Amino acid sequence: MAAVVLVGAQWGDEGKGKITDFLAERADCVVRYQGGSNAGHTVEVKQEKFMLHLVPSGILYPQTLCVVGNGVVVDMGKLIEELDGLQKRGIDTSNLRISLRAPVVMPYHKKIDELEDRDSNIGTTKRGIGPTYADKINRIGFRIGDLLEEPDIFEARFKAQVAYKNRIINEIYNEEGFDYKALLDKLMSEVAVLKPYLADTSYLIYNCIKEGKKVLFEGAQGTLLDIDHGTYPYVTSSHPIAGGACVGSGIGPTSIGRVLGVAKAYTTRVGEGPFPTELNDEIGQTLRERGAEFGTTTGRPRRCGWLDAVILRYAARVNGLTDLAITKLDVLDSFPVLKICVAYRYKGSLLQEFPDNIGILSKCEPEYMELPGWQQDLSGVTEYEQLPDKAKRYIETIEELSGVKQAIVAVGPKREQTIVTQRLYT
Ligand code: IMP
């Protein structure tokens, strides 16, 4: 049984949490492979809402092995808080495993993220994500496993690193730095709490795949936030695309059988950066209100706009999408006319492909096609056949424009409001 990778096909917040949760119920193992506590998944189960940031959605099923892979940057304090919250609500977290190779988000990373974002204006979540990945690539970061073995070696490196970070914080930003000993004590108490969960997770996932178990890789953020393939520099610092699943978990590409792209029936983004179909009008406002488009992690209002098929075609290409999940279709219920962007107009020419230059993207105008809205409440629909013809036409148009068939359509936040037309796990 080959593994399934689930990715966001837009700028994140596509409703991946709900789809992951739906698939997680059928999976033996769910793996997070990138990002950190910048992610926020809301899962609704039997009137109960769960907000997950670092813990994979599979945690709601006691039999599912949940893995935080080596590609995830771990804020240990936040993870402990999240686990405490779940345990208090009766969720068994003993099936969680965290990679010993996962980089640790330090308090100075969060501080530097906040300070740097004042100048760069990316609009980060201030969770220390960029600075932690930067340190990893720069080979001056710390992995969770480093905190467990040979404490004297760790302490010496850590002391030097805190001194270096303090110089940046003091000299460039004129703010107070950190006391290394206090940080060290905090880290050691946190790692002691997490110790039972730490493991060589690549080996665990490898064995699951070898035994024919159902493995689901759960991407956070989305394709256009990918550090290489997104709208750089308005991106996150990891690889949300499907290829990131291999690097961020330590398995080979031959293990991946299907790639499910999750796309909202319209488009949103948080933070700064160009967004060709953005609507700064009443329609955008209606999408925000009906879709409850406010960040799970930061509470920020999301920017909203029409569906962009240029983006979906691009997502299909860079992720190798085999299937599509279309979420929040019900948010479009009230509109008499729906627009889909089919190409971009740039300096008199029509671009069919997503530009790889942020300057060009920021000057692209959307070229729309129009479709009639269904103006009917979809929230109670449970079978594809029950959808009004106009809603089916909207979905089929997305399939044609993206070149990917839909497997799942969501018409509301609850588990029951999920129409499945193709089984991803046999
Ligand atoms: P960072 O990931 O905190 O460094 O933020 C970089 C960019 O990614 C900002 O524009 C954030 O708003 C965006 N971002 C990070 N995580 C998410 C997410 O889970 N959903 C949507 N946008 C995100």
Side-chain angles (χ1 to χ4, degrees), residues 15-76:
K16 293 182 296 297
K18 177 194 151 91
I19 306 296
T20 314
D21 171 62
F22 185 82
L23 295 174
E25 195 175 7
R26 291 147 187 86
D28 301 299
C29 174
V30 182
V31 184
R32 267 285 301 273
Y33 59 86
Q34 45 72 230
S37 52
N38 51 348
H41 283 172
T42 312
V43 183
E44 254 185 75
V45 189
K46 295 191 188 111
Q47 320 291 335
E48 269 208 85
K49 250 190 192 179
F50 292 88
M51 303 270 200
L52 301 170
H53 295 282
L54 270 162
V55 177
S57 311
I59 203 73
L60 304 177
Y61 305 98
Q63 77 285 359
T64 308
L65 175 67
C66 288
V67 175
V68 172
N70 58 275
V72 177
V73 289
V74 176
D75 180 334
M76 295 196 292

Side-chain angles (χ1 to χ4, degrees), residues 200-383:
D200 177 351
T201 51
S202 156
Y203 184 68
L204 295 178
I205 303 166
Y206 172 79
N207 279 332
C208 283
I209 291 172
K210 210 166 76 173
E211 288 163 19
K213 291 190 172 158
K214 295 169 187 162
V215 179
L216 175 67
F217 291 90
E218 168 188 359
Q221 289 86 41
T223 302
L224 293 185
L225 289 174
D226 185 277
I227 185 79
D228 276 279
H229 301 284
T231 46
Y232 190 89
Y234 301 100
V235 290
T236 190
S237 303
S238 66
H239 288 294
I241 61 163
C246 295
V247 185
S249 67
I251 58 122
T254 45
S255 300
I256 295 170
R258 293 177 86 159
V259 182
L260 173 69
V262 184
K264 239 185 294 216
Y266 48 98
T267 314
T268 63
R269 86 169 294 179
V270 279
E272 300 304 312
F275 176 179
T277 64
E278 182 169 16
L279 295 165
N280 289 310
D281 58 10
E282 244 172 63
I283 298 176
Q285 186 64 20
T286 307
L287 289 171
R288 189 172 307 112
E289 279 162 19
R290 281 192 56 96
E293 297 295 353
F294 297 90
T296 315
T297 303
T298 58
R300 288 182 288 180
R302 295 177 186 144
R303 299 156 65 193
C304 298
W306 292 120
L307 186 75
D308 188 334
V310 182
I311 291 176
L312 296 190
R313 264 200 305 278
Y314 178 67
R317 166 154 57 93
V318 297
N319 291 295
L321 298 184
T322 57
D323 306 87
L324 210 53
I326 300 168
T327 61
K328 292 189 151 187
L329 190 65
D330 57 301
V331 172
L332 302 181
D333 281 358
S334 64
F335 295 106
V337 175
L338 301 169
K339 291 188 185 184
I340 300 180
C341 170
V342 292
Y344 296 147
R345 200 161 280 290
Y346 174 70
K347 290 192 173 161
S349 56
L350 212 54
L351 307 184
Q352 302 291 338
E353 295 301 320
F354 194 72
D356 53 13
N357 178 291
I358 195 77
I360 294 176
L361 183 68
S362 62
K363 293 196 174 162
C364 281
E365 292 295 330
E367 184 75 12
Y368 286 117
M369 70 179 284
E370 290 190 1
L371 288 168
W374 45 91
Q375 295 190 281
Q376 217 173 304
D377 177 12
L378 298 188
S379 61
V381 175
T382 52
E383 300 289 333

